[in-house]
Amino acid sequence: MKHEVNNPRFARMYPRLAAWAEANGAQEHRAEALAPASGQVLEIGAGHGLNFPHYPSAVSSVTAVEPEATLRDLAEEAAHRASVPVTVVDGIAEQLPAADDAFDTVVCSMVLCSVRDLAAALSEIHRVLRPDGRLCFYEHVRARTAGFARYQRAVDLLWPHISGGCRVSRRTEIAITQAGFTMKHLRRFRFPEGRNPAPTAPFVIGLAQPR
Ligand SMILES: C[S@@+](CC[C@H](N)C(=O)[O-])C[C@H]1O[C@@H](n2cnc3c(N)ncnc32)[C@H](O)[C@@H]1O
């Protein structure tokens, strides 16, 4: 199923867009999402490596999958500055370059919105996790209020074309439980907060385990 993820314009834009979020709360969100991570970690769609400084000391190694060449190069640079050993590899979530039961932790942050086939990606995550492993996630999701969700579905007619395939109306947390995970923790919040929320504002930070 190998498919190309070739979004050079998005790849050039993303580090600049992310810088604002990092300075305004995303770093704290990443630390919160990654706190339960331990052992051998597989991070999916690592981008330019913004999670790397936030891995706790219980993590022994990180394999960071990133399919976009420009972001992968930046992730390799960031890996040198990481607090734990990080190896960056090419690959896609829907066909992970990993054996069954190979990892203690899988990490997804703002990537399950962008994978082409969410169900296939979650099935792969389930496959590569040990039975007692965990999925740590930090994702924007569909709002629970009907009006906001309608707005997100309308935005999704255009958004994926300008944001590297990202969709704002995915019910990612529901897809995770449908893919054979038990939700151990889920915190919902809006980021950034404000009177006129961005279509990506409804966020979740969570922890799920294979059932
Ligand atoms: C919004 S960026 C988030 C990057 C990073 N996870 C972070 O938290 O900053 C989305 C990432 O998902 C990656 N991506 C897109 N489609 C993918 C797929 N099918 N499999 C794995 N990663 C994918 C993109 O290349 C990009 O790095």
Side-chain angles (χ1 to χ4, degrees):
M1 179 209 275
K2 177 78 177 157
H3 71 239
E4 294 294 314
V5 175
N6 183 23
N7 294 315
R9 203 164 58 91
F10 173 76
R12 280 195 303 275
M13 243 169 44
Y14 182 64
R16 271 178 281 155
L17 292 177
W20 183 90
E22 296 306 301
N24 287 277
Q27 292 196 42
E28 289 76 9
H29 298 156
R30 292 180 190 279
E32 178 184 340
L34 297 182
S38 69
Q40 291 177 288
V41 175
L42 181 70
E43 179 175 338
I44 299 177
H48 58 306
L50 288 175
N51 283 328
F52 298 171
H54 300 289
Y55 280 106
S57 56
V59 168
S60 51
S61 67
V62 176
T63 302
V65 176
E66 174 48 56
E68 218 292 328
T70 308
L71 290 171
R72 194 168 57 247
D73 287 347
L74 294 172
E76 272 164 10
E77 285 171 29
H80 298 302
R81 303 186 297 273
S83 49
V84 298
V86 178
T87 307
V88 180
V89 299
D90 189 8
I92 56 167
E94 296 89 335
Q95 197 171 59
L96 288 170
D100 295 359
D101 300 344
F103 290 95
D104 302 294
T105 304
V106 170
V107 167
C108 292
S109 67
M110 291 177 267
V111 62
L112 294 175
C113 54
S114 298
V115 298
R116 217 176 276 182
D117 185 338
L118 180 57
L122 289 168
S123 161
E124 277 290 89
I125 290 169
H126 202 285
R127 177 183 70 75
V128 303
L129 267 178
R130 299 197 172 109
D132 60 348
R134 65 203 70 81
L135 166 62
C136 300
F137 57 93
Y138 168 40
E139 295 283 340
H140 62 77
V141 296
R142 186 186 298 186
R144 288 190 296 175
T145 47
F148 199 143
R150 253 197 318 277
Y151 160 59
Q152 288 176 307
R153 282 198 297 275
V155 167
D156 265 350
L157 297 174
L158 176 68
W159 194 265
H161 303 290
I162 57 170
S163 305
C166 165
R167 286 165 186 78
V168 299
S169 67
R170 276 197 172 155
R171 297 192 297 174
T172 303
E173 74 283 29
I174 293 173
I176 289 171
T177 54
Q178 287 172 343
F181 290 87
T182 301
M183 202 59 75
K184 292 293 184 186
H185 169 74
L186 188 75
R187 181 169 87 81
R188 294 179 187 274
F189 57 101
R190 281 196 182 175
F191 178 62
E193 286 176 18
R195 287 170 72 83
N196 298 305
T200 52
F203 262 87
V204 289
I205 286 176
L207 174 68
Q209 290 185 323
R211 336 182 244 282

